[in-house]
Amino acid sequence: MIHTDETTKEAVKTLEGLISILEDGKLGYTNAAEHVENPAMKTDFLEYARERALFIVELQDEINKLGKSTDTSGGGPLGALHRTWIDIKSSFTGGDTKAIINACITGEEAAIEKYKKALEENELEHSQVYVVSKQLNSIQNTLSQIKMRVN
């Protein structure tokens, strides 16, 4: 892909949108860990939160490679686009494990949808496509693991 101001701007916008979802996911999993009784689930949720934090750093690195700053975080239309994880917090207040798991499934499905869209829009460079694809694969694996807990 040839670097133009426009393609760089679009790539940054796409990556920032993914960062927004990852931040929601990190928060969601941290909240889930606080509200489940099962120690193994608590450990898993904290691991998923750590993984999301790592993913954020990877995407910020990609933005920095484009010569853009990642200092501005949150807010704006990207923050407003994805509220699934934030809304999930209300599911946690009852401490109902099944409700928490279902909320996590909803959040992951929304993240997967956003990741697939980011890849389909074709605005990312090869290195960014690689990172986003790798993260998408991991999120899909996480979703499968969480779905197994429902049964």
Side-chain angles (χ1 to χ4, degrees):
M1 176 180 282
I2 299 169
H3 265 306
T4 66
D5 285 348
E6 193 56 37
T7 57
T8 299
K9 198 166 86 177
E10 288 304 314
V12 168
K13 191 172 113 182
T14 298
L15 295 172
E16 285 176 341
L18 296 178
I19 288 171
S20 171
I21 279 192
L22 291 168
E23 298 210 354
D24 285 351
K26 185 176 77 172
L27 263 174
Y29 280 125
T30 302
N31 282 324
E34 289 172 12
H35 291 88
V36 291
E37 299 296 321
N38 181 318
M41 285 177 111
K42 195 179 285 277
T43 300
D44 285 347
F45 288 148
L46 289 173
E47 182 54 39
Y48 301 150
R50 272 193 295 276
E51 184 180 57
R52 297 303 172 270
L54 249 169
F55 288 173
I56 290 166
V57 171
E58 286 180 335
L59 294 182
Q60 287 173 332
D61 285 348
E62 291 300 320
I63 291 172
N64 291 334
K65 286 178 194 170
L66 292 171
K68 300 295 176 190
S69 170
T70 54
D71 291 345
T72 56
S73 62
L78 294 173
L81 273 179
H82 186 273
R83 287 290 167 240
T84 308
W85 274 107
I86 301 301
D87 295 340
I88 285 169
K89 192 172 182 182
S90 62
S91 304
F92 298 155
T93 53
D96 175 8
T97 301
K98 188 171 175 139
I100 292 170
I101 290 171
N102 286 330
C104 291
I105 289 171
T106 301
E108 289 296 62
E109 287 172 343
I112 288 167
E113 194 177 303
K114 185 99 172 186
Y115 265 76
K116 285 181 174 175
K117 187 174 180 230
L119 290 169
E120 287 166 9
E121 287 173 353
N122 222 11
E123 294 164 338
L124 303 175
E125 294 181 3
H126 290 301
S127 66
Q128 296 157 358
V129 168
Y130 172 76
V131 171
V132 170
S133 297
K134 182 177 65 99
Q135 290 182 3
L136 172 60
N137 190 33
S138 182
I139 292 168
Q140 288 169 325
N141 288 336
T142 298
L143 177 60
S144 296
Q145 290 171 7
I146 293 169
K147 282 184 172 178
M148 284 191 291
R149 292 200 177 272
V150 176
N151 301 328

